[in-house]
Each structure stands twice: as structure tokens, then as C-alpha cells.
Amino acid sequence: MKIKSTLHGLTPYQPGKPMEEVKRELGLDEVVKLASNENPYGASDSVQAAIQEAVSSIAIYPDGGAAKLRQKVAELHNIDEQQIIFGNGSDEVILILCRALLSAGDSIVTATPTFPQYKHNAVIEGANVIEVPLVNGTHDLDAMYDAIDETTKIVFVCNPNNPSGTYVNEEAFMSFLKRVPKDVLVVSDEAYEEYVTAEDYPDTIPLIKNYDNLMVLRTFSKAYGIASLRVGYGVANASFIQGIEPGREPFNTNSIAQAAALAALDDQDFIADCKVKNKEELELFEAFCEDNGFPYYPSQTNFLLFSVNKPGGEVFDYLLRKGFIVRNGEALGFPSYVRVTLGTKEQNERIRSLLTDWLL
């Protein structure tokens, strides 16, 4: 059997090392995973109860249109229900977009380094990928605009950006959006939006009513704390959503995931509390970097990309032996950096203490 040529040379997405594997390999009793930007405080207590109730219906197919969740998300954003498409994580929405819009000879424009699934899915569809280097860890929207040509179908803006944690402000985003040709889709991927504290971060969803070529992605995997259940969504013009819906797999969000997401949305106090805790821990970690002269990228997320002036792989290995799984910056396009998900206060203090002991 002949595999599609566009898959040649591609590698599957590489997540952080599983905790059980690290325990087994290194003989550790306790391992803390701070590699995939999950919420260290878990999910709202109400999510657990919703999951228990949903389990009783596991023999029945889920609601393919996610009607209750659709209504709740529409109310949250004050939009029409037909403006939403759900995915098995926002990753799947990216896949659907590439499936629906891209063919051989088309192209996308994306930053680099950024979330790798934009490029991955575009390549599978036979499209070309134009990568524009970050400037000080931030999207260079002027250069990305200059990279648009008659073959461009999608421009991906990861905001805040993963893995750098930086963001594009409202002025820069609006200037860019106004210039992009109307037949080019601008995707604002906002997986970490709930953690943002910057006052000039763009409020994008209301812009959709004036920009038919804008799509906004959100997820329940980060602040809402239900990463294992895989629920994400995209918001765009209703006619565009209707056009790409045939590219969505039937029943792509399961019943338990839908129930959990509904319960998570109902507890905005939990999200607000997580945001406050995250900001406090981020400020402590950034101050640690400042005090020790460690380069870092100011973050609007629940992770920090920083350097202790050693190769990222060396820092990764050291922390791994101490029971902390982080991300090696070498795999993220930042060879001398590591990316650490902000954990609980105790976890963060332990990592800083370990690094201090090691370096002094």
C-alpha cells in the first residue's frame, strides 16, 4: 500500500513524557508533569459530578451538534449558535480548516516557532507553508502580511503564542486584519485567552460581525482543566461555518466531554480564581529570572519560556531526574530555553529551589 506522499517525512506530534514512564525509567516514586500547559488546579468540582451523570448514557451516541454546549457557548460570547464549530480539541478544528480550504498549490502563512499543528495539517493537504520568524518572541504581523500572495488561503496567528507566551496587542492585530485580503482566512488561535491579563489584548470574537474572514479558536484543555476529554471550538461567520461543517467527523465530541464542558462553563468563579493564582505564580517566576539574570519571554499564558544559560536539553534532563517533566526548548525552536508550565505554589517553589541549588 502506498502512503500519501505528503505524509513522508512528517512525525507525529510529540507530547511531554508520560509520568508513569518517567517513574519507571528513573525509579522515582513521585513525578510532576509541567510540560503540556494543563491546569495544575484541575477542573471545577462541578465537572466531576457532570461526568458521573453522563457515564450512565455511554451506550448512546452523543449529540452530534452538541446542542446544549452550543447554546451555552453562544450565550457566553453573545453570538449566534450557527457561528460555532466544535472539535475534538481545537486541534481538530485546525485539521477541519486545512481539510476544507487547502489543496496542492495553496499556501498558509504562519509564524515560527509557533504551534506546530498549523504546518503539520497544511503539509498533509499538499499546501506550502510560509514561515515568518518571530521578533522578540512575538508575531511579526507586518512581515506576515508581506508574505501573503495569491496562493494564500489561511494565516494563523497564535495569540498568545505557544511556545513563547507572548501576545499580539489590539492595535497590531487590528492593523493587520484590516489589510488582509478578504479571501484569506485569519485564524486567531486563543487557547490561553482565559489567562491573559494584558489590557490591550484584542477582543476578537465581536470583530467577526465585520470581518467574514476571521475565525477565533478556543479550548477547554487549558484553564477549564479538561484536557483529557478533548473539547475545543471555532467561532466565525455562520455561512463559513456551514460551509466547512461537512469536513467535521460525526459525533466528534463525546457525551462525557460535552457534559464536562457545560459544567466547566457554569463555574466562571473557578476560572477567575485560577487566573489570579496563575498571575501570582507567573510574577514570582519572572522575578526569579530577573533576579538571576535568566533571559525569558514575558508571558500571557500559564507557562514560561526561559533560559538558565545552559542548553535546554541539559536543564530538561536535570529536572527530569528530580521528578519534574518540563519541555526541552530544543524541540520548540529555542535551543537554550526550557518551557515550564506554571504549577502550584509548592511545585513552582521546588523547581526554583532545584535550579538554584544546581547552578550555584
Side-chain angles (χ1 to χ4, degrees):
M1 293 178 286
K2 186 175 182 180
I3 304 298
K4 190 176 181 180
S5 63
T6 54
L7 271 72
H8 295 171
L10 289 181
T11 57
Y13 180 78
Q14 298 296 320
K17 291 175 72 70
M19 289 184 286
E20 292 305 316
E21 179 182 327
V22 173
K23 286 181 183 179
R24 187 170 58 252
E25 287 181 357
L26 300 179
L28 298 172
D29 294 326
E30 182 181 3
V31 170
V32 176
K33 181 187 175 190
L34 297 176
S36 300
N37 309 331
E38 296 123 334
N39 189 337
Y41 310 107
S44 165
D45 291 341
S46 61
V47 168
Q48 190 82 337
I51 289 173
Q52 294 291 342
E53 183 177 347
V55 165
S56 63
S57 301
I58 59 173
I60 300 170
Y61 281 110
D63 174 5
K68 291 181 180 179
L69 182 57
R70 181 179 299 277
Q71 181 181 9
K72 181 69 69 173
V73 170
E75 290 173 355
L76 175 70
H77 297 303
N78 192 29
I79 57 176
D80 188 89
E81 293 180 20
Q82 302 310 308
Q83 290 183 254
I84 307 164
I85 186 169
F86 289 99
N88 186 36
S90 54
D91 288 354
E92 191 192 21
V93 182
I94 295 167
L95 183 153
I96 292 168
L97 287 172
C98 291
R99 173 187 286 178
L101 297 182
L102 300 177
S103 300
D106 294 331
S107 69
I108 69 166
V109 175
T110 174
T112 186
T114 192
F115 187 54
Q117 293 306 100
Y118 313 139
K119 178 178 181 178
H120 186 89
N121 285 293
V123 168
I124 289 174
E125 300 303 328
N128 298 315
V129 179
I130 310 302
E131 296 180 287
V132 177
L134 301 173
V135 174
N136 297 322
T138 303
H139 284 60
D140 184 350
L141 292 185
D142 288 335
M144 290 177 71
Y145 171 76
D146 289 340
I148 295 172
D149 62 23
E150 65 278 0
T151 70
T152 308
K153 295 296 188 292
I154 311 174
V155 179
F156 287 99
V157 180
C158 189
N159 197 25
N161 186 50
N162 178 14
S164 61
T166 56
Y167 77 105
V168 171
N169 65 31
E170 181 176 20
E171 181 181 1
F173 185 80
M174 286 304 306
S175 174
F176 176 73
L177 185 61
K178 289 175 181 177
R179 291 183 290 163
V180 173
K182 300 305 179 187
D183 60 348
V184 174
L185 180 69
V186 176
V187 178
S188 183
D189 186 352
E190 302 174 2
Y192 301 91
E193 184 272 343
E194 290 82 8
Y195 288 114
V196 174
T197 59
E199 293 183 359
D200 59 348
Y201 181 76
D203 185 11
T204 51
I205 290 180
L207 298 175
I208 292 170
K209 62 184 176 183
N210 295 321
Y211 293 90
D212 291 343
N213 63 328
L214 173 63
M215 179 175 234
V216 178
L217 302 183
R218 297 284 175 87
T219 184
F220 288 91
S221 296
K222 305 306 179 185
Y224 285 101
I226 55 173
S228 68
L229 296 176
R230 313 304 299 125
V231 191
Y233 60 95
V235 181
N237 175 276
S239 62
F240 177 73
I241 295 294
Q242 182 181 16
I244 66 173
E245 269 283 351
R248 180 179 64 83
E249 295 295 321
F251 311 116
N252 63 329
T253 54
N254 67 73
S255 298
I256 294 175
Q258 291 181 33
L262 267 170
L265 281 174
D266 277 336
D267 193 351
Q268 291 299 315
D269 288 342
F270 172 79
I271 298 298
D273 183 56
C274 289
K275 183 174 183 175
V276 169
K277 290 177 180 176
N278 185 77
K279 184 174 186 293
E280 292 172 351
E281 293 305 312
L282 178 61
E283 289 175 348
L284 287 170
F285 230 121
E286 290 182 337
F288 167 75
C289 290
E290 293 276 0
D291 292 344
N292 289 279
F294 298 152
Y296 70 95
Y297 289 94
S299 178
Q300 288 292 320
T301 66
N302 68 333
F303 62 81
L304 188 67
L305 183 70
F306 67 97
S307 172
V308 296
N309 301 315
K310 287 179 176 286
E314 189 175 332
V315 183
F316 169 83
D317 289 337
Y318 168 74
L319 290 175
L320 190 67
R321 293 194 302 272
K322 298 297 183 180
F324 284 92
I325 307 172
V326 299
R327 284 303 296 270
N328 181 355
E330 292 173 356
L332 301 173
F334 293 87
S336 61
Y337 285 68
V338 288
R339 191 191 69 190
V340 177
T341 303
L342 297 171
T344 63
K345 186 176 185 65
E346 294 73 22
Q347 291 167 349
N348 297 330
E349 288 177 347
R350 178 64 178 149
I351 283 187
R352 292 194 293 268
S353 177
L354 287 170
L355 289 173
T356 300
D357 292 344
W358 183 44
L359 297 168
L360 295 181

